[in-house]
Amino acid sequence: MKLATVIFYGLSLGLLAVGLRELLTGFEENRCSMTYMFEYPEYRRVALPRRVARLYPAYGLYLYGEGLYAQETRSLKLTGAPVLFLPGNAGSYKQARSLGSVALRKAENMEGGLHFNVFTVDFNEELVALYGGSLLRQTHFLHESIKAILKLYKHLKAPPQSVVLVGHSMGGVVARALYTLPRFNTNLVSLIITQASPHLAPVLVLDPYLLDFYSTVRQKWVSQAKRLRNVTVLSVGGGYRDYQVRSGLTSLPCPPGDPNKLSLVATAVPRTWVSTDHLSIVWCKELVLASVRAFFDLIDPETRQFTDDPEKKMTVLNHHFIRHPVRMLEETQDTSISILDFPEAWSEVNTLRLAYTTPKEGQVKYFVFALSSRRKAYSHFYCRSNNMEMSSWVYGCVQRNGSSCVHAVDLSMETELLPPYKVLILSLSDLSSVSHLVVSASNLNGKQFTVECEWQRQESQTLSLPVPHVLSFGLTASEITVNSSGLLHTIVLQHFHQVYQAFRITVTSQCKVYKDRLSNVYRIKVPWFREDSLTTVSVPSVTEISGMLHTSRLDNTSGVLLQLHTAPNCQYKVSVRTSLPRVLGQILRFCGPMVPVYTAVTLLLACGGQLSSIRKSGRAAAMGQVVGKGLQPHKVNLPVFTLHILLSCSWFKEVWSFLYLPPVDALPPTFPDATFYEGEVPVEEWPRLMSPLLYLFGAAVAYWGSAILRLIIRLISLVLAALHRPSVSRDCGTLQLRPQLLITLSLAVFGGVSCGAMSLSVAFMLHLYRVLRLQMTERSLSHMLNLAPGKHKETENGKVDVETSAKSRECNGAPLLSECALQEVRDDLQLHLCLSAVLTLPVMLSAPSLIHWIRNLRYSAQLDPDPCWPHIVPLIIVYMLLINCNTLKLSNSKLLPLTSCLPLPLSIAMVMFSPLHLYRVTYFLLVTLVPLALCCLL
């Protein structure tokens, strides 16, 4: 049975390892270009008012500079447009150097001395994603910093009235939290750009302050939605390389139809098209350039500061982050264009497709396509060119003179950039006033490029392909063959709309003639969220594309689109197969916060199993045995499923509310339309269906984690054995009553005036010392009995039966050096090993607040606020009482039957109420540990 248990949990750990490997490494390589500083970066500290410096001694405000610019701004008499960078969780203020350096280099080429002043805030690299007690403090300091920045421009005739914020990670959440401050003037910030910021929900909730902060921010943006409509917010997610903050969480929770809020993934940003990890999104040159270009376009030429016009801001952001046409929309105020050249420059195209490569020498060339004969047979006109110059190239002819076009309308604004070329798709139904289409192939600079155009019938070039079921495990595949007679084909991947689905999409291309062709582009387009991904390949090729989603869709009204920008007269075979490793990776990406909950459930049930063993036989079972039996999904998940079904009934929901019971936890929604505004947010069912698998992962972590704990205890006990005299008593490592009371009182007082997590850690170390002494005693007794076979035999002749409860009680009077005494020590060791595994959980959950306190000791000796304070006193008392606990006291306790029954209902409650509130795990453990500690007294 033990071998079977090891094999079972070994396979479970293997599945977990496969999912973690896919989550951490199963993505494209880092294709971001590094940003470099051409001169040594300098960070000049900006003096703040004494009141602010005294309130926030750990924080600071700096101005970024390099070389000559740093010298010119030494006196802080600034003339540029202010931009403020906010670092995120454990982020450094020096991360602003990428944005500041690129902005500085770009400003050197601008006329009139137009430039930016890039400021950055030092938040002391606090772990605000894990400890939420500092978020409100950072928000207040940010407000003071903005006011201090604007004061630096008072000497100007037209000083700036607002600051643009760029927030990374939690810095973006802090930026939005500014609007929750009662005295904040909303006109001070009108544009916020966030990078990999978890707006929808926190990644992990290890204390209540983090969740309260998010709730306050959300409610403010809900209640003041109309007032904050002029505030422009752009949220950029990193993609699959960012395994710390999944891109679905970067979606802005905003009302439907708000035109000034944009959410997207970096892979969909034009001229970027790369996935970034959580840190590289700050220095990724492609993305930094997009932001800096947008900043320059946002400058009002009259005030030389950022524009306050919301429409102007959205136009610029759409141009650089959504769809990059040939030029800005407002640059083409007069769409009527006059084209009149030599007649020999015009060529009329009567074929269905045009493929033209310009000569090396410069020339003027126009191709004319008549619309009258094509309107009924075709629905769209498709054209692409690898001439990436941002200039007009497709026109609609309104008035003709012979073969030339005298008057034309520019149609190039619908152009879209792809990595190897620009593409324009025109719907013929929108061109009723146009008689001909004109494509410019002029290369006056002598640079060669290729133009390919064709008439298309959208219905014939759109195919449907049902994707395999997720439970096919990759054994079956859906395939379709495209005999390409055109330049664009669209494959609708039916039933592909959930984040737990993951596929290996293989596209194989073959051509009869391998001449010079433009590269193929395979694009996965998600209709409900801007998370597109593009792959550029040559022909022929065999290309594998990862088919995964950052967001779900509640209904299956439209599936994911696979667009193939192909070469003509080629054959393409598309195969879709479920990828089990990627499915596991997606499950961990979206449901990973539930794994620690199930780990705690397994250890809690193991503790209950240990207590039941002591109650029945008076002996403690092996720790590996009770942890192995902690996997009980039928006892935990079935009641949870039943409760969820009952909560779908209105009468049960009313009873639930009448009893003032808290709502049942659910993971953050994975669909971008979950705005948390009016009405109830639909709860997805698939995380609940995955709960048995997540329970398996949590049980594997508990099983192998407890095995590692036993190994560490043995190794440390070997080192400490040289420092202690051998002991043969089961009371080794215990505390007398007076020292126990003194230590408990001291730790409680210390936790109240400094840091509760520190007191908790000390109490845990004291209990761990008790376990180490038991381990050393067990080893000493074993060695002594091996060296004293006579006593061993005498014990056996004394008819000491270690298997029965009655005989075990007779061991109380046995000699210290006996098999019975060894068994007692082993029982106590197994009990305390099990307790140590459970007691480790509160210490680990409080670790972020402990780290924050240690890093801020030079500024304050007290952690304020302290998330451990509400339960630190009972926890310390429990830890100290359990030090003196043993199996004899437990077996004689009248509270043991009741205590042994508590872990199961508490485990069920933990699964119901803790996935979004991990800090509640400590409360549930405390409810179990308090009666257990009382068993040692009563």
Side-chain angles (χ1 to χ4, degrees), residues 914-933:
S914 293
L916 278 183
H917 306 76
L918 285 178
Y919 62 90
R920 290 180 179 174
V921 170
T922 301
Y923 301 152
F924 290 113
L925 294 178
L926 188 59
V927 175
T928 304
L929 294 174
V930 168
L932 179 59

Side-chain angles (χ1 to χ4, degrees), residues 200-203 205 211 218 246 249 590-591 593-594 597 640 644 647 662-671 676 681-688 694 909-918 920:
L200 198 59
V203 178
V205 184
L211 207 60
R218 184 183 300 116
R246 59 180 177 86
L249 290 179
F590 288 88
C591 300
M594 293 185 70
V597 175
V640 175
H644 282 298
L647 284 174
V664 177
D665 268 5
L667 289 180
T670 60
F671 42 90
F676 296 93
V681 178
V683 177
E684 296 173 283
E685 296 294 334
W686 72 269
R688 299 173 188 163
L694 297 172
M910 194 184 300
V911 174
M912 289 166 50
F913 301 110
S914 293
L916 278 183
H917 306 76
L918 285 178
R920 290 180 179 174

Side-chain angles (χ1 to χ4, degrees), residues 371 375 396-399 409 428-436:
L371 279 172
R375 291 186 186 276
C397 188
V398 179
Q399 181 181 355
V409 178
L428 302 189
S429 60
D430 299 333
L431 304 175
S432 57
S433 61
V434 175
S435 61
H436 292 76

Side-chain angles (χ1 to χ4, degrees), residues 30 52 114 160 234 237 250 298 316 362 399 433 501 513 712 714 727 733 816 826 844 885:
N30 192 353
V52 178
L114 182 65
L234 171 67
T250 63
L298 286 169
V316 171
Q399 181 181 355
S433 61
Q501 297 174 294
V513 180
I712 292 175
R714 290 183 180 182
S727 173
L816 290 179
R826 284 176 175 172
M844 295 180 64
C885 186

Side-chain angles (χ1 to χ4, degrees), residues 645-840:
I645 294 174
L646 291 175
L647 284 174
S648 62
C649 303
S650 58
W651 65 269
F652 189 83
K653 192 181 298 183
E654 292 177 0
V655 174
W656 189 272
S657 301
F658 179 76
L659 296 176
Y660 295 99
L661 294 174
V664 177
D665 268 5
L667 289 180
T670 60
F671 42 90
D673 295 334
T675 57
F676 296 93
Y677 280 78
E678 298 179 358
E680 295 185 359
V681 178
V683 177
E684 296 173 283
E685 296 294 334
W686 72 269
R688 299 173 188 163
L689 299 178
M690 297 295 174
S691 57
L693 180 62
L694 297 172
Y695 197 168
L696 182 65
F697 289 161
V701 173
Y703 183 84
W704 293 108
S706 61
I708 293 175
L709 176 63
R710 296 197 301 271
L711 178 61
I712 292 175
I713 292 294
R714 290 183 180 182
L715 294 177
I716 297 178
S717 65
L718 288 174
V719 178
L720 294 181
L723 306 178
H724 291 81
R725 295 176 59 185
S727 173
V728 293
S729 172
R730 71 188 305 176
D731 295 327
C732 57
T734 57
L735 296 173
Q736 298 297 325
L737 179 60
R738 184 173 295 179
Q740 189 179 35
L741 292 175
L742 181 61
I743 294 174
T744 303
L745 182 62
S746 301
L747 290 178
V749 173
F750 181 80
V753 300
S754 57
C755 176
M758 186 64 189
S759 297
L760 189 63
S761 300
V762 173
F764 173 75
M765 296 302 295
L766 291 174
H767 181 268
L768 192 63
Y769 176 74
R770 161 74 160 147
V771 182
L772 291 170
R773 290 298 305 274
L774 284 172
Q775 182 70 60
M776 289 186 284
T777 301
E778 189 269 343
R779 185 184 297 109
S780 299
L781 274 173
S782 299
H783 292 169
M784 290 177 184
L785 289 176
N786 289 335
L787 296 175
K791 282 192 174 294
H792 190 181
K793 184 175 180 180
E794 180 182 348
T795 304
E796 291 179 353
N797 293 335
K799 298 182 180 179
V800 178
D801 186 5
V802 298
E803 298 296 331
T804 63
S805 175
K807 292 297 181 182
S808 66
R809 294 187 179 93
E810 296 176 5
C811 293
N812 296 331
L816 290 179
L817 189 59
S818 65
E819 186 71 24
C820 191
L822 175 61
Q823 186 62 41
E824 290 176 347
V825 172
R826 284 176 175 172
D827 287 342
D828 290 348
L829 176 60
Q830 296 303 320
L831 170 65
H832 281 277
L833 281 173
C834 193
L835 290 177
S836 295
V838 176
L839 298 179
T840 303

Side-chain angles (χ1 to χ4, degrees), residues 365-507:
K365 190 69 175 178
Y366 295 100
F367 292 99
V368 181
F369 298 80
L371 279 172
S372 57
S373 59
R374 307 294 183 184
R375 291 186 186 276
K376 294 183 179 179
Y378 300 95
S379 61
H380 290 78
F381 180 77
Y382 174 96
C383 204
R384 66 190 182 195
S385 171
N386 60 351
N387 177 20
M388 302 299 281
E389 293 183 2
M390 295 295 98
S391 58
S392 299
W393 62 299
V394 178
Y395 309 90
C397 188
V398 179
Q399 181 181 355
R400 295 193 70 195
N401 181 12
S403 61
S404 303
C405 187
V406 178
H407 198 62
V409 178
D410 189 0
L411 302 177
S412 306
M413 292 307 298
E414 296 299 321
T415 301
E416 185 174 15
L417 289 187
L418 298 180
Y421 39 68
K422 55 187 178 183
V423 171
L424 178 63
I425 304 176
L426 297 174
S427 175
L428 302 189
S429 60
D430 299 333
L431 304 175
S432 57
S433 61
V434 175
S435 61
H436 292 76
L437 295 176
V438 180
V439 178
S440 173
S442 303
N443 62 331
L444 299 180
N445 56 4
K447 183 179 179 181
Q448 281 189 300
F449 61 87
T450 300
V451 176
E452 293 183 346
C453 303
E454 72 170 5
W455 301 100
Q456 292 186 344
R457 187 183 298 107
Q458 192 175 43
E459 294 78 9
S460 63
Q461 293 176 304
T462 301
L463 305 173
S464 295
L465 179 63
V467 297
H469 196 274
V470 69
L471 296 180
S472 64
F473 302 113
L475 301 178
T476 60
S478 298
E479 297 180 349
I480 194 171
T481 300
V482 179
N483 292 315
S484 175
S485 59
L487 303 178
L488 174 65
H489 294 272
T490 302
I491 300 176
V492 181
L493 301 178
Q494 295 180 344
H495 314 301
F496 182 19
H497 58 101
Q498 292 291 342
V499 293
Y500 61 82
Q501 297 174 294
F503 305 99
R504 289 187 292 112
I505 304 175
T506 305
V507 183

Side-chain angles (χ1 to χ4, degrees), residues 74 160 190 200 552 592 646 760 801 872-873 880 891 895 912 933:
R74 192 180 299 272
S190 60
L200 198 59
S552 291
L646 291 175
L760 189 63
D801 186 5
I872 188 63
V873 174
M880 299 306 296
S891 61
L895 292 177
M912 289 166 50

